[in-house]
Amino acid sequence: MPRQARLEIPGIPLHLTQRGVNRCAIFLDDDDCRHYLRLLRESAGSHGLEVHAYVLMGNHVHLLVSSGEPGKVSLAMRQLGQACVTGFNRRHRRTVTLWEGRFKSCLVDSDRYLLTAYRYIELNPVRAAMVEKPEHHHWSSVHANLALCDDPLVTPHACFMAMGDTRQLRAEAYRTWLEQGVSDDELIAIRRYLQQERAFGSKRFQAMAEKTLGRPVSVRRPGRPSRDDEGGGI
């Protein structure tokens, strides 16, 4: 049975995640992390992707990206994934696969939904009890988004830019947003939409995406769906 095409709409951000096979480590040291980010910059540049947020964890990654052309995200991730496997296997003298199947992705609505995805991604190391504050984790876009350093990989989304008129004001507003944390409902919603690869957003956004793509984009829930199950909610 052929695989279903990715949910990709030009200009609409995608939240992506990819795990190591059997949840094994995909980053064994800092050199692995640096290598991944270099390959991500290359694949993003080759296919016109903008990377808004990212975090590298021990056995998985999260990315928030957008593209102006359909299909480019999938092409970029294919290039990135294949190059990572080749480099990782060569460096660590192994031959087995690295990834646990294809990456997962979901479309993300603008405004609060998008900023919630930003926050979810960059607070991953805190939720995993790896660090106390997100900026203590080195391999994350949070340093650029908090104006702590320049990161050529990161392109702020228009919704992020709207948080303030200057970089410093945006950083202050974003730090306040991060400090609010991710609620349990937001965690459940984001994970569900990622797992089912749907459209995370308002009912209006989902209606637009469904009409554009000609396929369902809201999550499927156990049992008979009710009206309250229609739409994103966070």
Side-chain angles (χ1 to χ4, degrees), residues 1-2 18 27 29-30 48 55 59 66 78-79 84 98 101-102 106 113 117 120 157 163 185 201 205 221 226:
M1 187 175 181
Q18 191 162 28
F27 304 111
D29 54 30
D30 287 352
V55 67
N59 64 359
S66 60
R78 183 183 306 156
Q79 175 183 323
C84 281
L98 181 64
R102 300 199 305 169
C106 68
Y113 289 90
Y120 174 91
H157 189 272
M163 297 186 80
D185 287 345
F205 173 74
R221 304 195 184 196
S226 66

CSV table of all heavy atoms in Angstrom, one decimal, residues 1-2 18 27 29-30 48 55 59 66 78-79 84 98 101-102 106 113 117 120 157 163 185 201 205 221 226:
chain,number,residue,atom,x,y,z
A,1,MET,N,0.8,-1.2,0.0
A,1,MET,CA,0.0,0.0,0.0
A,1,MET,C,0.9,1.2,0.0
A,1,MET,O,1.8,1.4,0.8
A,1,MET,CB,-0.9,0.0,1.2
A,1,MET,CG,-1.9,1.1,1.2
A,1,MET,SD,-3.0,1.0,2.7
A,1,MET,CE,-4.1,2.4,2.3
A,2,PRO,N,0.7,2.2,-0.9
A,2,PRO,CA,1.6,3.3,-1.0
A,2,PRO,C,1.4,4.2,0.2
A,2,PRO,O,0.4,4.3,0.8
A,2,PRO,CB,1.1,4.0,-2.3
A,2,PRO,CG,-0.3,3.6,-2.5
A,2,PRO,CD,-0.4,2.2,-2.0
A,18,GLN,N,12.0,13.4,14.5
A,18,GLN,CA,12.5,12.1,14.0
A,18,GLN,C,13.3,11.4,15.1
A,18,GLN,O,14.1,12.1,15.8
A,18,GLN,CB,13.4,12.3,12.8
A,18,GLN,CG,13.8,11.0,12.1
A,18,GLN,CD,14.2,11.3,10.7
A,18,GLN,OE1,14.8,12.3,10.3
A,18,GLN,NE2,14.0,10.3,9.8
A,27,PHE,N,22.9,10.9,18.7
A,27,PHE,CA,24.0,11.9,19.0
A,27,PHE,C,24.8,11.3,20.1
A,27,PHE,O,24.4,11.2,21.3
A,27,PHE,CB,23.5,13.2,19.3
A,27,PHE,CG,22.6,13.8,18.3
A,27,PHE,CD1,21.2,14.0,18.6
A,27,PHE,CD2,23.1,14.2,17.1
A,27,PHE,CE1,20.4,14.6,17.6
A,27,PHE,CE2,22.2,14.8,16.1
A,27,PHE,CZ,20.9,15.0,16.4
A,29,ASP,N,28.1,12.4,20.8
A,29,ASP,CA,29.0,13.4,21.3
A,29,ASP,C,28.7,14.7,20.6
A,29,ASP,O,27.8,14.8,19.7
A,29,ASP,CB,30.4,13.0,21.2
A,29,ASP,CG,30.8,12.6,19.8
A,29,ASP,OD1,30.2,13.2,18.8
A,29,ASP,OD2,31.7,11.8,19.6
A,30,ASP,N,29.4,15.7,21.0
A,30,ASP,CA,29.2,17.1,20.4
A,30,ASP,C,29.5,17.1,18.9
A,30,ASP,O,28.9,17.9,18.2
A,30,ASP,CB,30.1,18.1,21.2
A,30,ASP,CG,29.6,18.4,22.6
A,30,ASP,OD1,28.4,17.9,22.9
A,30,ASP,OD2,30.2,19.1,23.3
A,48,GLY,N,15.5,25.6,0.1
A,48,GLY,CA,14.8,26.8,0.5
A,48,GLY,C,14.0,26.7,1.7
A,48,GLY,O,12.9,27.4,1.8
A,55,VAL,N,15.7,21.6,18.4
A,55,VAL,CA,16.4,21.1,19.5
A,55,VAL,C,16.9,19.7,19.2
A,55,VAL,O,16.2,18.9,18.6
A,55,VAL,CB,15.5,21.0,20.8
A,55,VAL,CG1,14.4,20.0,20.7
A,55,VAL,CG2,16.3,20.8,22.1
A,59,ASN,N,18.2,11.0,21.6
A,59,ASN,CA,17.8,10.0,20.6
A,59,ASN,C,16.7,10.5,19.6
A,59,ASN,O,16.1,9.7,18.9
A,59,ASN,CB,17.2,8.8,21.3
A,59,ASN,CG,16.0,9.1,22.1
A,59,ASN,OD1,15.5,10.2,22.2
A,59,ASN,ND2,15.5,8.0,22.8
A,66,SER,N,9.6,26.0,7.6
A,66,SER,CA,8.6,26.3,6.6
A,66,SER,C,9.2,26.5,5.3
A,66,SER,O,10.5,26.7,5.2
A,66,SER,CB,7.8,27.6,7.0
A,66,SER,OG,8.7,28.7,7.1
A,78,ARG,N,14.9,14.2,3.4
A,78,ARG,CA,15.5,13.0,2.8
A,78,ARG,C,17.0,13.2,2.7
A,78,ARG,O,17.8,12.3,3.0
A,78,ARG,CB,14.8,12.7,1.5
A,78,ARG,CG,15.3,11.4,0.9
A,78,ARG,CD,14.7,11.2,-0.5
A,78,ARG,NE,13.2,11.3,-0.4
A,78,ARG,CZ,12.4,11.6,-1.4
A,78,ARG,NH1,12.9,11.9,-2.6
A,78,ARG,NH2,11.1,11.6,-1.2
A,79,GLN,N,17.4,14.3,2.1
A,79,GLN,CA,18.8,14.6,2.0
A,79,GLN,C,19.5,14.6,3.3
A,79,GLN,O,20.6,14.0,3.5
A,79,GLN,CB,19.0,16.0,1.3
A,79,GLN,CG,20.4,16.4,1.2
A,79,GLN,CD,20.6,17.8,0.6
A,79,GLN,OE1,19.8,18.2,-0.3
A,79,GLN,NE2,21.5,18.6,1.1
A,84,CYS,N,23.1,12.0,7.2
A,84,CYS,CA,23.3,11.7,8.6
A,84,CYS,C,23.7,10.3,8.8
A,84,CYS,O,24.6,9.9,9.6
A,84,CYS,CB,22.1,12.1,9.5
A,84,CYS,SG,21.9,13.8,9.8
A,98,LEU,N,19.9,4.1,11.1
A,98,LEU,CA,19.9,5.1,12.2
A,98,LEU,C,18.5,5.6,12.6
A,98,LEU,O,18.3,5.7,13.8
A,98,LEU,CB,20.7,6.3,11.8
A,98,LEU,CG,20.9,7.5,12.8
A,98,LEU,CD1,21.7,7.0,14.0
A,98,LEU,CD2,21.6,8.7,12.1
A,101,GLY,N,12.2,4.7,11.0
A,101,GLY,CA,11.2,5.1,9.9
A,101,GLY,C,11.3,6.5,9.5
A,101,GLY,O,12.2,7.2,9.7
A,102,ARG,N,10.2,7.0,8.9
A,102,ARG,CA,10.1,8.3,8.4
A,102,ARG,C,9.9,9.3,9.5
A,102,ARG,O,9.4,8.9,10.6
A,102,ARG,CB,9.0,8.5,7.4
A,102,ARG,CG,9.0,7.6,6.1
A,102,ARG,CD,8.2,8.1,5.0
A,102,ARG,NE,6.8,8.3,5.4
A,102,ARG,CZ,5.9,8.9,4.7
A,102,ARG,NH1,6.2,9.5,3.6
A,102,ARG,NH2,4.6,9.1,5.1
A,106,CYS,N,3.5,17.7,11.5
A,106,CYS,CA,2.2,18.3,11.5
A,106,CYS,C,2.2,19.7,11.1
A,106,CYS,O,3.2,20.4,11.4
A,106,CYS,CB,1.5,18.1,12.8
A,106,CYS,SG,2.2,19.1,14.2
A,113,TYR,N,-0.7,29.1,18.3
A,113,TYR,CA,-0.3,27.7,18.0
A,113,TYR,C,1.1,27.6,17.6
A,113,TYR,O,1.8,26.7,18.1
A,113,TYR,CB,-1.2,27.1,16.9
A,113,TYR,CG,-2.7,26.9,17.3
A,113,TYR,CD1,-3.6,27.9,17.1
A,113,TYR,CD2,-3.1,25.7,17.8
A,113,TYR,CE1,-4.9,27.8,17.5
A,113,TYR,CE2,-4.4,25.5,18.2
A,113,TYR,CZ,-5.3,26.5,18.0
A,113,TYR,OH,-6.6,26.3,18.4
A,117,ALA,N,4.3,25.8,19.6
A,117,ALA,CA,5.2,24.8,19.1
A,117,ALA,C,6.7,25.2,19.3
A,117,ALA,O,7.5,24.4,19.7
A,117,ALA,CB,5.0,24.6,17.6
A,120,TYR,N,7.2,24.4,23.0
A,120,TYR,CA,7.3,22.9,23.2
A,120,TYR,C,8.7,22.4,22.8
A,120,TYR,O,9.3,21.6,23.5
A,120,TYR,CB,6.2,22.2,22.4
A,120,TYR,CG,6.3,20.7,22.4
A,120,TYR,CD1,5.6,20.0,23.3
A,120,TYR,CD2,7.0,20.0,21.5
A,120,TYR,CE1,5.6,18.6,23.4
A,120,TYR,CE2,7.1,18.7,21.5
A,120,TYR,CZ,6.4,17.9,22.4
A,120,TYR,OH,6.5,16.6,22.5
A,157,HIS,N,10.2,33.3,12.5
A,157,HIS,CA,8.9,33.4,11.8
A,157,HIS,C,8.3,34.8,12.0
A,157,HIS,O,8.5,35.4,13.0
A,157,HIS,CB,8.0,32.3,12.3
A,157,HIS,CG,6.7,32.1,11.4
A,157,HIS,ND1,5.6,32.9,11.7
A,157,HIS,CD2,6.5,31.4,10.4
A,157,HIS,CE1,4.7,32.5,10.8
A,157,HIS,NE2,5.2,31.6,10.0
A,163,MET,N,6.4,39.8,18.2
A,163,MET,CA,6.5,39.8,19.6
A,163,MET,C,7.2,41.1,20.1
A,163,MET,O,7.1,41.4,21.3
A,163,MET,CB,7.2,38.6,20.2
A,163,MET,CG,6.5,37.3,19.9
A,163,MET,SD,7.3,35.9,20.7
A,163,MET,CE,6.7,36.0,22.4
A,185,ASP,N,-2.5,20.0,28.7
A,185,ASP,CA,-3.4,20.0,27.5
A,185,ASP,C,-2.6,20.2,26.2
A,185,ASP,O,-2.8,19.6,25.2
A,185,ASP,CB,-4.5,21.0,27.6
A,185,ASP,CG,-5.6,20.5,28.6
A,185,ASP,OD1,-5.6,19.3,29.0
A,185,ASP,OD2,-6.4,21.4,29.0
A,201,GLY,N,-4.1,23.4,14.9
A,201,GLY,CA,-4.6,24.8,14.8
A,201,GLY,C,-6.1,24.9,15.1
A,201,GLY,O,-6.8,23.9,15.6
A,205,PHE,N,-8.5,27.1,10.5
A,205,PHE,CA,-7.2,26.6,9.9
A,205,PHE,C,-7.3,25.2,9.4
A,205,PHE,O,-6.9,24.9,8.2
A,205,PHE,CB,-6.1,26.7,10.9
A,205,PHE,CG,-4.8,26.2,10.5
A,205,PHE,CD1,-4.0,26.8,9.6
A,205,PHE,CD2,-4.3,25.0,11.0
A,205,PHE,CE1,-2.8,26.3,9.1
A,205,PHE,CE2,-3.1,24.4,10.6
A,205,PHE,CZ,-2.3,25.1,9.6
A,221,ARG,N,-9.9,10.4,17.3
A,221,ARG,CA,-9.9,10.0,18.7
A,221,ARG,C,-10.7,8.7,18.9
A,221,ARG,O,-11.5,8.4,18.1
A,221,ARG,CB,-10.6,11.1,19.5
A,221,ARG,CG,-9.9,12.5,19.3
A,221,ARG,CD,-10.3,13.5,20.4
A,221,ARG,NE,-9.7,14.8,20.1
A,221,ARG,CZ,-9.6,15.8,21.0
A,221,ARG,NH1,-10.1,15.6,22.2
A,221,ARG,NH2,-9.1,16.9,20.7
A,226,SER,N,-17.2,13.4,18.6
A,226,SER,CA,-18.3,14.4,18.9
A,226,SER,C,-17.9,15.7,18.3
A,226,SER,O,-16.8,15.9,17.8
A,226,SER,CB,-18.4,14.5,20.5
A,226,SER,OG,-17.2,15.1,21.0
